[in-house]
Each structure stands twice: as structure tokens, then as C-alpha cells.
Amino acid sequence: MKDIDTDSRSIGHSTNLVGIPTGVLACSRFNEAAPELHISGVREMNRGLFEMLAEAPDLDSAAEAIHKYMAAVFGLDPEQREKPKKNEDPTVRRFRSSYLRLLKGWGYDSNAKEGAVLKGWVESRFGLIPTYHKTRIDKFSSTAWIEYVEEKMSSRFHNNSIYMQLDIMYEFCQWSLRRFVSPLRPRLTLYRGVNDFSEHPLVEKIDKTTRVVRMNNLVSFTDDRSVADCFGDTILEAQVPLSKVIFFNTLLPIHPLKGEGEYLVIGGDYLVKASYF
């Protein structure tokens, strides 16, 4: 039984940087196949980093290596903050944009400006447009879409090659998942708690508990069902391919998303099982 509540033409752009048509990437069948994805040129441009990571005996050692690399390349340490501009108050601190700052903002509110920048990065690299930012986005001419575009382009977060930072972290995440976390399984069982389906338009209703829903282009999951229960009275269980995970809570030793078993996942259509207890 089908009950369509989405427009397949609005799922994304015709181009992306991962070499797979956006419509295929967004399809629930992609999640079943779970092929690898790579952002074009990132590993090639950072060959030295991945040669160094290959020597890491465990995830903690790899995390230390990536932290030092990102700090050196993008000047993320506090002592490397930008100097005040001419005629600017010298006491004003102007820190360079950081992927950690975006994660912190997402942790507080996924609909804040930091969330818009992260969703904009997913749109740019994977071709998927957001379906929700503060409110449901139904069309490009809507007020919701315009506000999202304004926030994703905020100069506050684009002064330090922020998309390149996120590119590297995605590739590091993919490398870590396949090297240390899940080398034998191409998918993870993850959970998301919801109170309603306003953010998850129904694509297909298969039976009372199984359905295909369209997730936002970037969405939070957890690997702990009891944690998902704290965020809504309906629990969505999904099989998420490793290639759609851009960050997870044990990837780095210190980051703002610790404590909830959180995974940041690229959206699209997902086959989910909904349970209510």
C-alpha cells in the first residue's frame, strides 16, 4: 500500500561530489546495498594524513593524529586565533571557524545557524536538499527555504575553509568505521525518537509498523534505544549504511556530542520500523 506525501523531484540536485546520482543516493534501496562513498579528491589531497592514519594501532591513536593535523592545517588551537583587524578592538577574540564549533551548535539546536551550515555542506557534497529547518521546507520559493539559504551562507562560519574541514572529517569517519568500528558489517542499527512525523514525510506505508520515510538531509540517530526513547514516544529503527554516517560519538576523544551515543547521518528515504513503547 502506497501513500505518497513527497515530491521525488525535490529530493536534491542533479550533481554532487560523490559520483552517484542523487536520486540513487536518496533511495531506500541504496541503504540496502550500502556501497562505499568518497568525496572527490579529499583523500588524494590529504594523502599524507591517511598514510599517517594507516600506522595507527587503534581509534584513540588515529583520533590524536587527526586532531593534530586539523589544528595545524586550519589553525584551530586558541593561540592561533585570528589577529584583530585594523581599527578593531584588540580585546575582541575572533576565532576561526571550526567543525567542532558546528558540532557544538548542532548539539544545542540542529535548527540553529550551525545546523544550517552543516545541512548546506551535505547539500553541496551529496546533493540532498533539507526537508526541514525550523519548519518544513516544501518549495524553493518558501520563506523557510530563503531563511535556510541565508543561514547556511553566514560569513561567520565560512572564514576558514569550513567545508574542507568537514570533507576531511567525513573521510576520517569513513576510514575509522571500516578500520576499527564495523569492518565486517556495512550497516548499523540505529534509533531515532520522534513525537510525530512532521519532519519525516511518509513515502510508503508497508504495514502497521514498517514504512519508508524521507529523513532530513542531515539527521541525528543514536545506537542506544533507551536514549532515543527520551526524545519521543515513537522509536524509529533503521539500518543505516556506514557511508551515510558523517560523525559518531566515539570518533574523537573530546567533542560536544558525547553522552548520547549520537550519530550524524545523511538523510534520504529510509525503511524504518516504528514502535510505540
Side-chain angles (χ1 to χ4, degrees):
M1 171 181 165
K2 277 198 170 185
D3 184 5
I4 301 297
D5 187 31
T6 58
D7 180 355
S8 60
R9 294 171 299 175
S10 66
I11 200 165
H13 303 293
S14 59
T15 59
N16 57 49
L17 296 182
V18 293
I20 292 179
T22 302
V24 173
L25 175 63
C27 179
S28 61
R29 290 188 294 276
F30 174 91
N31 302 336
E32 298 173 13
E36 290 191 30
L37 288 179
H38 295 287
I39 299 174
S40 178
V42 176
R43 295 203 182 195
E44 292 79 2
M45 292 175 63
N46 299 275
R47 192 180 304 277
L49 167 64
F50 287 93
E51 290 176 352
M52 178 171 59
L53 290 174
E55 304 297 323
D58 51 44
L59 184 54
D60 288 342
S61 300
E64 182 179 358
I66 190 73
H67 172 76
K68 291 179 179 178
Y69 184 85
M70 297 294 281
V73 173
F74 298 103
L76 301 184
D77 289 336
E79 61 269 20
Q80 293 174 306
R81 63 180 183 269
E82 292 182 349
K83 297 179 180 179
K85 292 182 178 180
K86 187 177 180 180
N87 299 324
E88 185 177 65
D89 184 347
T91 63
V92 174
R93 290 185 173 185
R94 302 180 63 254
F95 291 96
R96 296 177 177 180
S97 297
S98 164
Y99 67 97
L100 291 172
R101 181 65 184 85
L102 294 183
L103 292 174
K104 182 177 181 180
W106 178 276
Y108 282 125
D109 181 4
S110 62
N111 289 303
K113 291 182 178 179
E114 293 89 342
V117 176
L118 285 166
K119 293 169 188 174
W121 171 78
V122 172
E123 180 189 349
S124 170
R125 274 37 183 172
F126 299 90
L128 295 171
I129 61 175
T131 60
Y132 195 97
H133 186 67
K134 299 181 182 178
T135 187
R136 185 166 168 174
I137 300 175
D138 292 314
K139 53 186 178 180
F140 293 144
S141 60
S142 67
T143 301
W145 172 260
I146 293 171
E147 185 172 0
Y148 154 70
V149 171
E150 289 176 345
E151 292 189 351
K152 78 170 182 176
M153 298 176 68
S154 172
S155 60
R156 177 184 177 188
F157 300 104
H158 285 277
N159 64 358
N160 194 22
S161 302
I162 192 63
Y163 277 10
M164 187 180 298
Q165 292 185 43
L166 295 172
D167 291 346
I168 294 172
M169 289 309 302
Y170 171 77
E171 290 293 343
F172 173 61
C173 177
Q174 291 297 299
W175 178 88
S176 300
L177 284 168
R178 299 177 192 280
R179 173 75 179 271
F180 297 116
V181 179
S182 187
L184 301 178
R185 295 182 300 139
R187 290 176 295 276
L188 301 172
T189 302
L190 300 179
Y191 308 90
R192 178 171 172 81
V194 299
N195 288 314
D196 56 52
F197 287 86
S198 60
E199 292 188 40
H200 310 88
L202 180 65
V203 175
E204 181 179 359
K205 186 175 182 181
I206 298 173
D207 57 39
K208 289 183 178 180
T209 61
T210 308
R211 58 196 65 191
V212 177
V213 297
R214 181 157 296 173
M215 296 285 184
N216 205 354
N217 73 339
L218 183 62
V219 65
S220 290
F221 279 87
T222 177
D223 59 2
D224 188 336
R225 192 185 187 284
S226 63
V227 170
D229 191 49
C230 298
F231 291 89
D233 52 15
T234 300
I235 307 300
L236 304 182
E237 177 184 322
Q239 297 298 312
V240 177
L242 299 183
S243 55
K244 282 194 171 183
V245 177
I246 73 168
F247 198 86
F248 59 96
N249 71 319
T250 57
L251 183 62
L252 298 176
I254 300 176
H255 63 81
L257 300 182
K258 286 284 188 181
E260 295 178 350
E262 187 164 357
Y263 286 69
L264 290 188
V265 172
I266 297 166
D269 292 350
Y270 278 82
L271 178 71
V272 299
K273 293 183 178 179
S275 56
Y276 305 95
F277 53 88

